[in-house]
Amino acid sequence: MHIFELHTYKIDLFFPEIPIAQVKEKVKSLLTQSSVQRICKEITNLDFYFFSIGYLREDSQLVELAQECGMSIDDLRKASIIGDYLFNTIDENGKLVSSGLEGLAFNLSLHQLNQLALDNQKRIVAVAGGNKKLSVIRAGIEARLFNILITDEGTAIQLLEKVS
């Protein structure tokens, strides 16, 4: 019989009364606190990670955040951004593209995601499907940002056709 300890974490921080220009300073300040540093360290030591993949669409959190910072979805597209992994904006090759939104979220970096996905002891699970997310999923495969994909049959077939 195996006995194990189970912990789950979900952290959402909102600063509704603070102007977006001050949020980066708040986040930066919070990252210096030992309790937040401990949580960040614990996050990188987890065995399983589940997250969805975002693509650029008008009603996405990424686009809403960009609009709060004075950018439009077209500005993001002009920067070659096709979507995001945990608010890390990427191009079609899965490379990080600066969006000006860095520092507004507590998140794992693309480098951390890649390192975790390469660790055979970790399960980095991306949950995404549909034609609109296909290029963002492919970019994540290219950059090795996850090691398990949960998707629909149509998306899986399209991904496999591209490989063969």
Side-chain angles (χ1 to χ4, degrees):
M1 174 183 216
H2 293 284
I3 298 178
F4 59 93
E5 194 172 324
L6 177 66
H7 298 278
T8 61
Y9 298 94
K10 182 178 191 259
I11 302 169
D12 290 322
L13 296 175
F14 297 97
F15 305 107
E17 301 301 320
I18 297 175
I20 198 77
Q22 294 176 12
V23 172
K24 283 185 183 182
E25 288 303 315
K26 269 279 197 217
V27 170
K28 191 175 178 180
S29 172
L30 284 169
L31 286 171
T32 65
Q33 295 182 12
S34 62
S35 58
V36 174
Q37 289 174 348
R38 187 176 63 252
I39 291 169
C40 290
K41 182 175 170 54
E42 286 184 31
I43 288 171
T44 60
N45 290 324
L46 298 174
D47 297 319
F48 294 88
Y49 298 79
F50 291 85
F51 60 92
S52 64
I53 297 169
Y55 73 99
L56 291 185
R57 64 181 200 285
E58 290 292 340
D59 63 342
S60 73
Q61 288 179 324
L62 179 71
V63 171
E64 288 176 19
L65 187 59
Q67 289 170 340
E68 287 288 322
C69 293
M71 293 180 282
S72 69
I73 192 170
D74 290 332
D75 294 329
L76 297 174
R77 287 184 178 127
K78 286 176 190 168
S80 299
I81 294 170
I82 63 166
D84 73 284
Y85 280 73
L86 302 173
F87 287 100
N88 295 291
T89 48
I90 62 164
D91 66 12
E92 65 184 14
N93 299 309
K95 303 293 183 204
L96 182 66
V97 177
S98 178
S99 62
L101 304 176
E102 297 82 13
L104 292 174
F106 292 103
N107 58 347
L108 292 172
S109 69
L110 289 183
H111 176 74
Q112 288 172 310
L113 269 179
N114 171 259
Q115 294 303 300
L116 291 166
L118 295 174
D119 183 341
N120 291 331
Q121 302 300 311
K122 306 285 185 183
R123 300 297 175 252
I124 314 307
V125 183
V127 181
N131 286 334
K132 294 179 180 177
K133 289 191 178 181
L134 197 56
S135 62
V136 186
I137 296 169
R138 280 193 181 117
I141 292 170
E142 176 82 19
R144 297 182 176 193
L145 299 177
F146 55 88
N147 53 30
I148 297 173
L149 173 64
I150 298 175
T151 192
D152 60 275
E153 181 180 9
T155 301
I157 289 169
Q158 289 183 29
L159 290 168
L160 291 172
E161 285 173 351
K162 184 78 171 180
V163 173
S164 10

